[in-house]
Amino acid sequence: MDDIDRMIVNLLQTGFPVCELPYREAAQTLGITEDDLIARISRMLDEGVLTRFGPLFQAEQLGGAFTLAAISVPEADFERTAAIVNAMPEVAHNYERDHELNMWFVLATETAGGMARAKERIERDTGYPVIDMPKTREYFVGLKFEV
Amino acid sequence: MHAIDDIDRRIIVATQAGLPLTARPYHAIAAQVGVAPEEVMARVRRMQAAGIIRRIGAVPNHYAVGFRANGMAVWDVDDERVDELGEEIGVLPFISHCYRRRRVLPRWRYNLFTMVHGRSRAEVEDKVRRIAGLLGNAVRAHDILYSVRILKKTGLRLAKR
């Protein structure tokens, strides 16, 4: 990453225009060309510096079901279990954490019934009980990393 | 909850993996969805205003941009006071997410979740001490669960209909 990449990451965490030529507009703010901006975003996605570029949706607003869940997996069985959990389309994110509950994942489904089925399937296929911690209130969401 | 119609849904499906990396991305979406570009832009703006789209932008990989310590700090806070305190600490600049979640007793006692990011664990712990100071005697216990590895990160996916 060079200084221009860092400027791009910082600026694009705050938002992106909705207009005919949004890359050109953002590029002008950054003092670079439209082609350079598109090439740099593309490269940072390929390199994994950016995990996503685009609209970020609030799943609850779409009427679906959403939860944070965790399971406790013995180390020897961790990779098998991660493969099962990751293969499910309902799993939006999955993190390994250093705790007795060591696998934490977000489940997003379109219906409450779909959520119950996804949890049952994880319990059946992995063999571990799912601790389900749905959000009951959101106080703040605003991911921003100054890089 | 806001109603979305079939065209909104098609716009979401067309963009959930990312915005097209072409000069006119909303035109590219319009061609894919089969509506006018102006309509795509109007609908995207409406979904932003309704909170269906939180924002359009980049999501950096925490690790790749130098935030090697990513801690989920969890707190067992008095139910009577958790909403007031959650709002108060949510505005701290180093907290990216702040939620109340259901306890699962006896296995999981914590009801307030805060994501705290730093360049080192010491930096995260310093920030967590500042949160603890603000929460004061409403906290019965807390813990920090550091992320060791991202196993999957794709975000929301609606299926095509």
Side-chain angles (χ1 to χ4, degrees):
Chain A
M1 278 184 96
D2 62 16
D3 285 346
I4 294 171
D5 289 339
R6 288 190 190 90
M7 273 169 46
I8 292 170
V9 172
N10 286 335
L11 180 76
L12 295 188
Q13 287 181 83
T14 62
F16 190 71
V18 182
C19 61
E20 184 178 352
L21 295 166
Y23 293 101
R24 182 173 296 176
E25 192 176 311
Q28 278 166 359
T29 309
L30 292 158
I32 60 175
T33 66
E34 179 185 36
D35 288 347
D36 192 20
L37 176 60
I38 291 173
R40 283 171 180 269
I41 294 171
S42 176
R43 176 177 47 75
M44 287 192 277
L45 285 166
D46 289 345
E47 290 172 353
V49 172
L50 298 179
T51 56
R52 261 182 66 71
F53 175 70
L56 304 172
F57 299 98
Q58 186 170 358
E60 293 92 334
Q61 295 284 357
L62 298 174
F66 209 61
T67 197
L68 177 69
I71 54 179
S72 176
V73 187
E75 201 183 324
D77 197 30
F78 197 86
E79 298 306 321
R80 178 196 74 97
T81 305
I84 292 169
V85 172
N86 289 352
M88 293 183 57
E90 298 90 342
V91 175
H93 308 130
N94 188 13
Y95 280 79
E96 180 179 358
R97 295 193 178 277
D98 67 345
H99 188 268
E100 180 258 323
L101 287 168
N102 53 355
M103 191 180 290
W104 287 74
F105 43 91
V106 169
L107 292 172
T109 62
E110 291 190 48
T111 62
M115 178 61 72
R117 283 192 296 279
K119 280 186 290 192
E120 279 164 24
R121 200 176 135 204
I122 291 172
E123 294 194 329
R124 189 190 65 218
D125 292 358
T126 68
Y128 304 112
V130 170
I131 310 293
D132 178 19
M133 294 157 279
K135 189 194 301 180
T136 54
R137 185 91 183 253
E138 181 175 301
Y139 305 116
F140 182 78
V141 175
L143 197 62
K144 185 154 197 296
F145 295 101
E146 187 76 32
V147 303
Chain B
M1 180 179 136
H2 298 264
I4 55 163
D5 66 13
D6 187 54
I7 295 172
D8 290 332
R9 189 187 167 85
R10 275 147 61 197
I11 293 170
I12 294 169
V13 169
T15 58
Q16 60 191 353
L19 199 68
L21 291 165
T22 57
R24 291 178 175 75
Y26 304 105
H27 289 56
I29 297 160
Q32 203 179 327
V33 172
V35 296
E38 293 68 30
E39 176 155 10
V40 169
M41 290 188 263
R43 284 170 176 270
V44 167
R45 290 194 194 101
R46 188 186 63 77
M47 288 194 275
Q48 285 184 301
I52 294 167
I53 297 175
R54 285 186 197 279
R55 67 183 168 89
I56 302 169
V59 181
N61 176 328
H62 311 175
Y63 296 96
V65 295
F67 288 81
R68 304 203 173 277
N70 298 286
M72 183 172 75
V74 292
W75 312 82
D76 176 0
V77 178
D78 184 346
D79 287 329
E80 297 293 311
R81 297 188 56 201
V82 65
D83 287 338
E84 159 219 338
L85 289 165
E87 298 286 351
E88 190 182 323
I89 63 166
V91 303
L92 291 170
F94 50 81
I95 292 180
S96 65
H97 298 71
C98 185
Y99 301 131
R100 181 175 181 179
R101 293 189 177 278
R102 192 175 72 192
R103 304 172 198 271
V104 185
L105 297 171
R107 199 75 199 279
W108 186 258
R109 65 187 295 182
Y110 304 103
N111 59 339
L112 179 66
F113 286 60
T114 52
M115 301 302 304
V116 182
H117 310 274
R119 288 174 175 77
S120 65
R121 289 198 177 193
E123 191 183 317
V124 170
E125 276 148 29
D126 182 56
K127 290 169 175 173
V128 168
R129 272 193 294 276
R130 286 164 62 190
I131 300 170
L134 288 169
L135 294 175
N137 63 9
V139 174
R140 289 180 286 253
H142 77 278
D143 199 356
I144 306 174
L145 285 71
Y146 288 100
S147 66
V148 177
R149 189 159 45 125
I150 300 173
L151 302 168
K152 182 178 184 181
K153 191 170 184 181
T154 50
L156 168 76
R157 285 286 187 275
L158 282 187
K160 278 188 190 166
R161 263 182 194 156

